[in-house]
């Protein structure tokens, strides 16, 4: 009888201990707001504050943690545009000579994030443009994107990101800090400002001189007809009838610290 009572007591004690362990584990677990982290990343760059701890956090997080944190396209777009723009500033401020060979610069794997080392091209074309082939003009997707890309890419392409990504050049859009709640309005405002700044329309010849982005990523914009509709939407041209497009040369002069509030 004493043996049975002792055994019962041990079972109850063990059960109590197991019940108490679960809440303790939950209390010590932490969840990172990666959108907020990306916003702080850019804010620190803008204010001249050190960003090494943020870069370490991004490098040491797991693919699963990042995927679970970015569940909507609004979150994905805001995070990845901020990350792209932040690392352009960080890397080129330290190594402006990298811009001498831009093809190598954008394709080089040099950004540590979620256990991988990725390139600017992978972030832009693989994640933000949903696995588009870099040389496909926006008409051809990659055949076999890897797991990192598949897990983290957006669900739907949005042409407005071309007026938000800052590649470090003078003709690039300025750097804004994007948030998931406001990103739709921010992208609209940023697109309007960029297109009005970079476009010229001759009402007599009906020729609109526009950024080369419309040519390089024509499929993203819906071709020439889509580009003209976009220009009409943002009041760059009065209508699309009879309008011809002329693509301007892109000014690749290095121009950092070009921030704007949207």
């Amino acid at each position: 009888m004493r043996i049975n009572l002792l055994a019962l007591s041990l079972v109850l004690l063990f059960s109590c201990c197991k019940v108490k362990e679960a809440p303790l584990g939950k209390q010590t677990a932490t969840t990172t707001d990666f959108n907020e982290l990306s916003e702080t990343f850019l804010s620190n760059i803008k204010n001249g504050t050190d960003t090494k701890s943020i870069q370490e956090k991004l490098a040491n997080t797991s693919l699963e943690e990042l995927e679970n944190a970015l569940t909507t396209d609004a979150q994905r777009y805001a995070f990845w545009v901020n990350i792209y723009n932040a690392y352009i500033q960080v890397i080129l401020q330290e190594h402006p000579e990298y811009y001498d060979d831009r093809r190598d610069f954008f394709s080089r794997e040099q950004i540590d994030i979620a256990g991988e080392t990725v390139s600017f091209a992978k972030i832009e074309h693989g994640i933000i443009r949903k696995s588009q082939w870099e040389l496909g003009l926006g008409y051809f997707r990659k055949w076999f994107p890897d797991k990192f890309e598949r897990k983290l890419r957006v669900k739907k392409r949005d042409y407005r990101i071309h007026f938000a990504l800052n590649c470090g050049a003078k003709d690039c859009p300025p750097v804004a800090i994007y948030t998931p709640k406001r990103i739709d309005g921010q992208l609209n405002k940023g697109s309007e400002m960029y297109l009005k700044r970079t476009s010229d329309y001759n009402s007599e010849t009906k020729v609109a001189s526009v950024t080369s982005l419309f040519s390089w990523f024509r499929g993203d914009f819906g071709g020439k007809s889509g580009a003209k509709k976009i220009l009409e939407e943002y009041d760059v041209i009065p209508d699309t009838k009879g309008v011809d497009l002329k693509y301007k040369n892109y000014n690749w002069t290095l121009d950092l610290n070009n921030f704007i509030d949207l």
Side-chain angles (χ1 to χ4, degrees), residues 213-232:
L213 294 171
F214 279 120
S215 176
W216 299 338
F217 305 105
R218 61 195 70 174
D220 291 13
F221 299 109
K224 266 195 173 183
S225 60
K228 287 189 280 189
K229 288 178 182 178
I230 292 167
L231 293 169
E232 180 184 25

Side-chain angles (χ1 to χ4, degrees), residues 96-132:
E97 71 276 9
Y98 287 178
Y99 222 51
D100 294 340
D101 186 346
R102 291 189 299 274
R103 183 183 296 274
D104 175 75
F105 172 70
F106 289 112
S107 62
R108 184 190 309 171
E109 295 177 344
Q110 56 188 322
I111 301 166
D112 295 323
I113 187 163
E116 300 280 342
T117 303
V118 301
S119 65
F120 286 106
K122 189 176 189 67
I123 293 176
E124 179 179 3
H125 308 299
I127 297 175
I128 297 177
R129 295 182 63 225
K130 196 182 177 182
S131 299
Q132 287 294 303

